[in-house]
């Protein structure tokens, strides 16, 4: 038997829906200020704003919304690729991020969060894994404790 710890399914779904929608709304906002930005003497990416003001309606709005949707989708893809999924069994800890999978089969002395990083240390004091994660202590601790791993609420004192 194994336990998997991941972001909640509602958050994963919301990221795929919410990021593009927020991007589309941002695109509408960009279109709304495009005339003002293109009138300034200098502004980053001012050429993009000038192109938007020269497009006829409704194409300007469609282009702004589509561009925002695409940027939101790119953000959602990056978010998904950076997500850490932790699977714990009595004999192995598996860490999955994007298309990379790392299986750890070692005697562990301590498992803990050091800030926003999950750390696994062996009985001889070596740190064999340190992975950035948004998973929290109360999500990870029960999974490791259930399978007999030494979860620590605080990083152990260095030897």
């Amino acid at each position: 038997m194994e336990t998997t710890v991941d972001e909640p399914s509602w958050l994963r779904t919301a990221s795929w829906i919410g990021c593009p929608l927020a991007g589309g709304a941002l695109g509408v906002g960009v279109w709304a200020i495009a005339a003002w930005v293109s009138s300034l003497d200098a502004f980053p990416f001012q050429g993009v704003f000038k192109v938007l003001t020269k497009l006829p309606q409704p194409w300007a709005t469609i282009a702004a919304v589509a561009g925002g949707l695409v940027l939101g989708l790119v953000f959602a893809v990056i978010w998904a690729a950076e997500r850490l999924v932790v699977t714990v069994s009595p004999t192995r800890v598996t860490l999955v991020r994007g298309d990379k999978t790392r299986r750890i089969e070692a005697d562990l002395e301590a498992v803990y969060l050091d800030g926003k990083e999950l750390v696994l240390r062996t009985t001889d004091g070596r740190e064999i894994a340190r992975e950035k994660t948004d998973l929290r202590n109360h999500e990870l601790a029960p999974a490791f404790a259930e399978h007999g791993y030494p979860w620590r609420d605080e990083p152990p004192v260095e030897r």
Side-chain angles (χ1 to χ4, degrees):
M1 185 168 128
E2 58 187 29
T3 305
T4 299
V5 184
D6 190 3
E7 290 179 343
S9 61
W10 68 264
L11 182 59
R12 289 190 311 271
T13 302
S15 70
W16 287 107
I17 296 169
C19 290
L21 289 178
L26 184 63
V28 170
V30 166
W31 175 80
I33 64 167
W36 171 72
V37 169
S38 61
S39 70
L40 297 174
D41 291 336
F43 195 85
F45 306 107
Q46 193 170 24
V48 173
F49 293 99
K50 287 182 179 180
V51 167
L52 273 178
T53 60
K54 290 182 179 167
L55 287 174
Q57 283 300 340
W59 299 112
T61 304
I62 291 170
V65 171
L69 286 170
V70 169
L71 288 176
L73 188 58
V74 167
F75 185 79
V77 168
I78 292 169
W79 185 350
E82 292 297 315
R83 181 178 291 128
L84 181 69
V85 179
V86 179
T87 303
V88 185
S89 74
T91 59
R92 175 184 324 138
V93 176
T94 305
L95 306 173
V96 178
R97 182 182 312 278
D99 61 350
K100 294 181 182 177
T101 299
R102 185 169 176 197
R103 290 176 185 83
I104 298 166
E105 296 176 5
D107 290 329
L108 298 177
E109 170 187 67
V111 181
Y112 56 93
L113 282 176
D114 185 7
K116 289 194 133 250
E117 295 178 320
L118 175 64
V119 181
L120 283 73
R121 290 178 58 179
T122 61
T123 53
D124 62 4
R126 289 181 303 123
E127 187 176 287
I128 58 171
R130 179 177 285 268
E131 293 285 338
K132 184 180 177 305
T133 183
D134 287 325
L135 298 171
R136 295 183 304 254
N137 202 339
H138 72 273
E139 297 166 325
L140 291 164
F144 282 97
E146 177 185 341
H147 295 287
Y149 290 97
W151 180 265
R152 307 284 184 248
D153 289 327
E154 298 290 328
V157 178
E158 293 293 325
R159 294 180 190 182

